[in-house]
Amino acid sequence: MAEYNLTPRMAPNLDRHLVFPLLEFLQERQLYDDNHILKSKIDLLNNTNMVDYAMDIHKTLYHTEDVPQDMVEHRADVVARLKSLEDSTAPLVAFLQNPAAVQELRADKHYNLQMLNDKYQIGAAQIEALYQYAKFQFKCGNYSGAADYLYQYRALCTNSERSLNALWGKLAAEVLMQNWDIALEELNRLKEIIDSKNFSSPINQVQSRIWLMNWSLFIFFNHDNGRTQIIDLFNQDKYLNAIQTSAPHLLRYLATTFIVNKTSEGNLPDNDATVSVKPDNRDSAPQESPTLVASALEKTIDFAASNETDNIAGNLNNTATSGTTESDKSKGITETSEAKETNNIYATVDERFKGNTQTGETDEKSDSSSITLRYGSSMVTPTNIFVQLLTSSHSILPLNNKIAFNKLS
């Protein structure tokens, strides 16, 4: 069953933190040796600050209470760096936590920068430090704190490249906290920027779309209206072209959504349309269009007859990795632009600074040494999307039809 695992194809297009839920699911499904998954997790943690989580995994993997000295030293460095960033951002954080002060901000960012400098002695260095602080919190696994600070940073930042990087981070944080409505808003905002920006290289724009589609799977298969929206996004010419040229693995999700979506008939394009996909084997012929496969399956499948969904899920629903160390995509766009903001960017402290997070609880007034540098998340992921679909109210796909999906990989 592991041969159908798509994670090695998806991981290079994900932030490494988004790979953790995939490995968690793989571990639950026992598709690989448990020690192999644990080693992959440690490799994945190398470029994060979740040292406590790495220590826990090391103890489990090697059946010991001792941890390597380099982990101990790394944790001390993380705590020291966190304290330094807290000190450098303290004036700006205090300002943002003061609702009366926040009301002085306007839509004009240049006015805000001048006002902050003149009235509160907060300059560009403190604003840049807020970005670094938010990124550091994200690497610690404190996704809630990271999302809050990135939101406020984008309200003050005048650097379009930095602002877009912050938006990628904000999207990842909302996905990891399973805030699907907010994550969908950020996804749409990011799509608007990608589609409207004149990239210096068309390849960069195509790659951005591929990243966006891979990240969107977490949202679309958890959001109430996601199964319709994935068709709307993936079936757009520019995005379908990106799938054809560089991400054929996404066809599996598009085809599945066509089939299980009650409204898919109205969303299906012309059934005579074809999609040529570059296969992994360069000598092979182009693969079939997901539209054609979906149409054929709709004619032959009894959507209410099959009780063998568990067997199908075992064949279709594997998305983990043994090479996750290459997964740190982490916002590599060099040409960026500001997006239109639809909400009040200057939200008050009551709206944005919500306090602790499920993944790394900290207190603004607490000692930095008490921070928990640990990951924790549970969600529907691209790994177990097929489990959710195949066990839904649509009883679907007799066992002898699974090959039609396997050909889409």
Side-chain angles (χ1 to χ4, degrees), residues 115-338:
M115 184 271 293
L116 287 171
N117 186 65
D118 294 343
K119 191 170 182 179
Y120 296 94
Q121 291 74 54
I122 296 174
Q126 284 84 5
I127 294 175
E128 174 61 21
L130 184 66
Y131 174 84
Q132 298 298 334
Y133 185 42
K135 182 178 179 180
F136 200 86
Q137 291 280 1
F138 183 88
K139 294 180 72 174
C140 289
N142 182 9
Y143 305 123
S144 177
D148 291 337
Y149 292 127
L150 288 170
Y151 178 91
Q152 297 292 355
Y153 171 79
R154 294 191 69 243
L156 301 171
C157 174
T158 57
N159 184 313
S160 60
E161 181 178 350
R162 269 281 197 254
S163 181
L164 185 57
N165 289 345
L167 185 55
W168 279 104
K170 177 71 158 52
L171 173 60
E174 299 296 353
V175 168
L176 289 161
M177 292 189 295
Q178 305 175 50
N179 293 334
W180 305 121
D181 289 335
I182 299 176
L184 182 59
E185 293 175 4
E186 303 296 359
L187 181 77
N188 291 332
R189 187 172 289 121
L190 193 52
K191 177 184 180 296
E192 182 181 353
I193 297 176
I194 293 171
D195 290 345
S196 63
K197 176 62 182 175
N198 293 322
F199 286 78
S200 60
S201 168
I203 295 177
N204 291 340
Q205 191 170 36
V206 170
Q207 184 62 64
S208 297
R209 290 190 174 114
I210 292 171
W211 288 338
L212 189 74
M213 286 187 286
N214 278 276
W215 292 36
S216 73
L217 294 175
F218 291 94
I219 301 170
F220 289 145
F221 285 95
N222 284 281
H223 195 276
D224 292 340
N225 196 35
R227 297 182 194 177
T228 298
Q229 297 190 51
I230 190 174
I231 295 176
D232 294 340
L233 175 63
F234 284 27
N235 208 42
Q236 293 181 27
D237 289 343
K238 294 177 180 178
Y239 288 84
L240 193 57
N241 180 64
I243 293 174
Q244 289 177 247
T245 57
S246 304
H249 64 277
L250 294 176
L251 290 174
R252 179 173 297 190
Y253 299 99
L254 179 58
T256 302
T257 310
F258 274 136
I259 294 169
V260 301
N261 192 347
K262 290 181 179 179
T263 63
S264 62
E265 183 176 353
N267 290 312
L268 283 171
D270 185 354
N271 286 342
D272 293 330
T274 59
V275 179
S276 297
V277 179
K278 182 170 60 179
D280 290 338
N281 183 348
R282 304 302 181 190
D283 297 327
S284 301
Q287 298 173 357
E288 293 179 271
S289 160
T291 300
L292 298 179
V293 174
S295 299
L297 289 175
E298 284 182 330
K299 295 176 182 177
T300 59
I301 293 172
D302 182 353
F303 280 79
S306 174
N307 291 320
E308 301 192 64
T309 55
D310 289 341
N311 292 331
I312 298 300
N315 284 279
L316 296 182
N317 138 64
N318 310 317
T319 316
T321 183
S322 59
T324 54
T325 55
E326 299 298 323
S327 66
D328 192 14
K329 180 237 97 202
S330 173
K331 311 152 192 91
I333 296 176
T334 57
E335 300 291 334
T336 61
S337 66
E338 284 296 324

Side-chain angles (χ1 to χ4, degrees), residues 74-141:
H74 184 198
R75 192 184 196 286
D77 291 342
V78 167
V79 173
R81 175 62 175 159
L82 180 61
K83 182 64 170 64
S84 175
L85 287 170
E86 286 177 344
D87 292 341
S88 60
T89 58
L92 181 54
V93 170
F95 170 84
L96 294 172
Q97 290 180 331
N98 184 342
V102 169
Q103 293 301 317
E104 299 182 48
L105 295 174
R106 300 180 184 178
D108 185 347
K109 292 185 178 181
H110 293 286
Y111 166 85
N112 294 336
L113 295 179
Q114 189 65 44
M115 184 271 293
L116 287 171
N117 186 65
D118 294 343
K119 191 170 182 179
Y120 296 94
Q121 291 74 54
I122 296 174
Q126 284 84 5
I127 294 175
E128 174 61 21
L130 184 66
Y131 174 84
Q132 298 298 334
Y133 185 42
K135 182 178 179 180
F136 200 86
Q137 291 280 1
F138 183 88
K139 294 180 72 174
C140 289

